[in-house]
Amino acid sequence: MRKLFVASLKMLYRDKQTLFYALLFPVIFAVVFGLFDFSRGPKVDIAMVGARTSPVYRALVEGLRPVASFSVKEGRTLASARAALTAGDIDVVLSVPGEPPAGSSPAIGPAVIEVLYNQSNFDTNQFALGAIERIVDRLNLTLSGVRSPPLVVAPNGVKARTIDYYDFLLPGLVAMGVMQFSIIGMAVAIARFREQRILKRILATPLAPSKFLVAQVGARLVLSVVQAALIMAVGMVLFGARVYGSIFWIVALAAVANLIFLNIGVAVAGRAPNPDAAQGIGNVVALPMMFLSGVFFPTETLPAAMRAVVRYLPLTPLIEALRTIANDGLPITAAGSQLALLGVWVLVSFLLANRAFRFARA
Amino acid sequence: MTQSEPAVEVRDLVKEFPAPGGGTIRAVDGVSFSVRRGEIFGFLGPNGAGKTTTLEVVEGLASPTSGQTFVLGSDSHKDAARVKSRIGVQLQAAAYFDHLRLDEILELFGSFYPRSVSPDVLLAKVGLSEKRRARLKELSGGQAQRFSIVAAMVNDPEVLFLDEPTTGLDPQARRHLWDVIGSINREEGKTIVLTTHYMEEAELLCDRVAIIDNGRIVALDTPLGLVRQLPAAYRIAFATGRAIDEEDLARLPGVAEVAALPNGERRYELRVRDPQATLFAFTTWARDRQVALDDVRVSPATLEEVFLSLTGHALRE
Ligand SMILES: Nc1ncnc2c1ncn2[C@@H]1O[C@H](COP(=O)(O)OP(=O)(O)OP(=O)(O)O)[C@@H](O)[C@H]1O
Ligand SMILES: [Mg+2]
């Protein structure tokens, strides 16, 4: 059995094509998503138009500059600023009137600061208009000679744990990587062994066929540890993903839960007449989980009826448990109900594999 | 368990498969035979005759619909583990692991048995010692077949089953393989059960041959014994300087048929039951008629003809 296990590992290691899919494919995902920067807020380009010497103009520029997400551009005429806004190069145009004509009194009404903005850019507008209004309010107070306003806001932001989309995604990619590779890879490998009559050849020896399958599953379990660790390493080292919990438990959980997907792979191979069919059936099983079980978005966004089903698919509790550790920084025991569900799946998938796999058809 | 028990014994074996359109296909239809220890026993038959199916039931890989199969005195289904540890199986067109080297494959298969022969010894047997670090796909067709024979011998089996060991090989590689199989049988005393499409292979290699067609054994004997069953088991071929009277020849004792060979060179062939009796009468006839004989040959009929006469159709359509 030891020789069989070592030989199974060797076969896996030398099968470069399988290794490529197992290791490179999910890593490519991790890299591609890592290249997007999900942590930045919206960046707003503001064009200032008007007399640069006017105190209102100066005060606005000084008020806007310190806001990190604002980039203030000066020196355009109103017409060219409008054109840039229409073209989408500028998000907001602030048009400040010149010096009030001499002798005018406040009685003729306030000077109007015209704000032109791109109406289709809802988030940016909310944010930019709010900030501009606050600056103008402050200016108004100053201009009206109010030195100490009766009410002030004391911002006291509590530093919460920062989770950006990439931090959220990474545990999902780990789970997806081991699942894809195991269901489809295992199913195709065994279907190929059968097609080449290797299974039948083994059946002609005293070796219990189940031992051969166990060795295959074991070898792939080892590979899934490497796979999970590699995806985590790429995400954390190259792209600075934040992981708050134990990396050991993340990798260990992904690998152990992978037993489920390997069993499913064996079950698929048991039903599939040839390697191509195994690939097809494997995809039919794996793809819905990949899209529904919350790899890319929280399952809370699914319709309730769908979520009621999806939460019981094996990939869902795995991803939830991984996020409990990675994103919430909790110990693995905090994901008790997910672990229980995974335990049930290990059992169920083993029975499925056992039932579906007709070794006699070898 | 005594040495006198046959290596293989099959009684009334029937094997049916579900037919694609419903109903069943009877692949093996009541086959009985036994193989003695130490002999090379051949199954000769066309595609779909039931050769592979018969072997697979005997090897314990497929269960019989009815009937019994024994190997070395053990039931190959009730006592499968015991049988499997004592036989070697080469499957028709089976592959081995793509990503293991030859010695690693032999080592691995050896580990499935309580006792095994070292890969080096096995590879040396079939002249593949230099290829021990090669992958199977780097071998020629003949080398790959030789490898698959020793891969069936990792457990030093008492009975070796070879399913079409030479199919798809060129004549030279085929001859080489006959030598290998022959020496395994003679030098190691292993019983060998093989299947083939080739008459020549059955005639030259096998001690006894079972001719199988449509799931039934239509004849079972030594190659010569099978040929003797034919009404005219021998032929006398000759050439003459002038045309002869064929009717005249047909009246000679023991002549079943006279045929002019179709190459236009006045070559004839006599199908005869007893070549000794006929030859004497034939040479006398030639002297009396002053026929100059040339290139006289006497040969037994081939299994091809046996097959044709038993089944009414040629081995390969
Ligand atoms: N698993 C199977 N399911 C259905 N039919 C089968 C199966 N295996 C064999 N048969 C059928 O049984 C018959 C005998 O097949 P078998 O493979 O024993 O022939 P064979 O003599 O070995 O032929 P060949 O010389 O082509 O190898 C064929 O008609 C074949 O189609
Ligand atoms: Mg066959």
Side-chain angles (χ1 to χ4, degrees), chain B residues 47-48 50-53 92 163-164 195 197:
Chain B
N47 288 127
K51 305 182 293 294
T52 298
T53 308
Q92 182 175 1
D163 199 354
E164 298 196 16
T195 71
H197 287 181

Side-chain angles (χ1 to χ4, degrees), chain A residues 44-46 73 76 83-92 118:
Chain A
V44 185
D45 289 323
I46 299 176
K73 322 241 157 160
R76 277 194 170 85
L85 180 68
T86 316
D89 297 338
I90 294 278
D91 299 298
V92 177
N118 180 348

